Amino acid sequence: MNLTLKIWRQKDSKAKGQMVDYKVTDISEHMSFLEMMDVLNEQLVNSGEEPVAFDHDCREGICGMCSMYINGEAHGPDRGVTTCQLHMRMFNDGDTITIEPFRAAAFPVIKDLVVDRMAFERIQQAGGYISVNTSGNTQDANSIPISKHAADEAMDAATCIGCGACVASCKNSSAMLFVGAKVSQYALLPQGQVEAADRVQNMVAQMDLEGFGNCTNTGACEVECPKGISLENIARMNREYLSATLKG
């Protein structure tokens, strides 16, 4: 395939960015999107130009590092995949592909397509943990009875990889699906009950402090989430928050 790429280029967080056009040729439909970007960068380096900076690590849809806004969609036109799992067979010969970083005030651009998602880390630090007895007299996890339904729902919430697609796809740049998933994975289990009230209040407070918007209830976050995190987690977080504030 021969493609035209319109890519956001920005030298650093303070510089003014712009869209720049590039041509790539002989792209195989079997390539991943990031492999196509590798081809472009090799082409740029060989011609003495600055390669396009973009986040990546595992390239297996696990780490949540890759984060591109492709043709107006977080992670591109496919569903249930991250950018690194997106394949070029989703595009056609002669296509023009627009590639931008995730856009949100809480995700400032570092360079080109790389954004700073440390806001998510600070939300996690505010309450994404449980108390564990490490004195040497720890309780075996298998000795705590947990219903299959609760365990499955907790695991579904825990599949969130923190990529930020929910924020990028939301017109309010809301992080409520991310925070809802992180709250839910503990709220559904007995191990998470010790800090339950403090957790939800602290994580929501940090989310607001980071500058994320409120939920729009349009559901774009669930549609574009590569792990299919359900909106039910936002509802659960709201219930947990209401309960915590009433108890306080």
Side-chain angles (χ1 to χ4, degrees):
M1 290 187 290
N2 298 326
L3 304 165
T4 299
L5 308 177
K6 291 182 175 292
I7 301 179
W8 181 261
R9 301 303 307 265
Q10 185 173 335
K11 186 176 181 180
D12 55 47
S13 59
K14 297 179 181 179
K16 183 178 180 180
Q18 62 179 347
M19 301 299 293
V20 179
D21 291 0
Y22 298 100
K23 301 283 187 181
V24 287
T25 59
D26 299 325
I27 298 298
S28 169
E29 65 176 7
H30 302 299
M31 284 183 179
S32 72
F33 199 86
L34 294 191
E35 287 172 334
M36 182 275 294
M37 293 295 295
D38 291 337
V39 170
L40 170 64
N41 277 346
E42 184 176 4
Q43 176 181 306
L44 292 175
V45 169
N46 289 340
S47 62
E49 298 180 60
E50 182 79 11
V52 178
F54 61 90
D55 265 334
H56 63 97
D57 192 0
C58 74
R59 298 200 178 202
E60 294 180 345
I62 299 171
C63 69
M65 287 293 291
C66 56
S67 51
M68 295 183 191
Y69 206 66
I70 303 164
N71 285 349
E73 298 179 271
H75 295 305
D78 207 352
R79 289 291 173 264
V81 299
T82 55
T83 301
C84 63
Q85 295 174 302
L86 178 67
H87 282 80
M88 297 311 297
R89 56 179 168 266
M90 297 298 297
F91 303 93
N92 299 309
D93 183 39
D95 277 358
T96 296
I97 305 174
T98 302
I99 309 168
E100 302 172 83
F102 282 178
R103 302 288 191 184
F107 287 168
V109 174
I110 297 174
K111 183 178 181 180
D112 295 339
L113 304 175
V114 180
V115 297
D116 182 356
R117 285 172 288 182
M118 282 301 294
F120 272 10
E121 299 299 323
R122 291 188 288 270
I123 292 172
Q124 279 282 75
Q125 291 166 7
Y129 53 83
I130 61 171
S131 292
V132 177
N133 184 345
T134 58
S135 65
N137 188 29
T138 55
Q139 184 176 6
D140 191 311
N142 291 328
S143 68
I144 304 173
I146 301 172
S147 71
K148 178 69 164 57
H149 179 70
D152 286 347
E153 284 200 316
M155 183 61 73
D156 288 344
T159 59
C160 170
I161 56 177
C163 66
C166 50
V167 174
S169 62
C170 178
K171 56 191 175 186
N172 278 0
S173 298
S174 173
M176 290 187 73
L177 191 68
F178 166 77
V179 180
K182 297 306 176 185
V183 167
S184 290
Q185 73 181 73
Y186 299 115
L188 288 159
L189 301 175
Q191 294 94 328
Q193 299 311 305
V194 178
E195 298 92 357
D198 288 340
R199 175 183 302 110
V200 67
Q201 291 183 91
N202 291 341
M203 293 182 80
V204 169
Q206 188 64 39
M207 174 183 71
D208 291 342
L209 187 63
E210 296 294 344
F212 292 105
N214 201 4
C215 179
T216 65
N217 295 312
T218 56
C221 53
E222 180 179 352
V223 172
E224 298 197 23
C225 173
K227 300 302 177 182
I229 302 297
S230 172
L231 289 174
E232 290 179 4
N233 292 293
I234 296 179
R236 183 177 296 106
M237 178 184 70
N238 288 336
R239 292 194 298 270
E240 289 285 318
Y241 188 83
L242 178 61
S243 175
T245 53
L246 291 175
K247 290 177 180 176

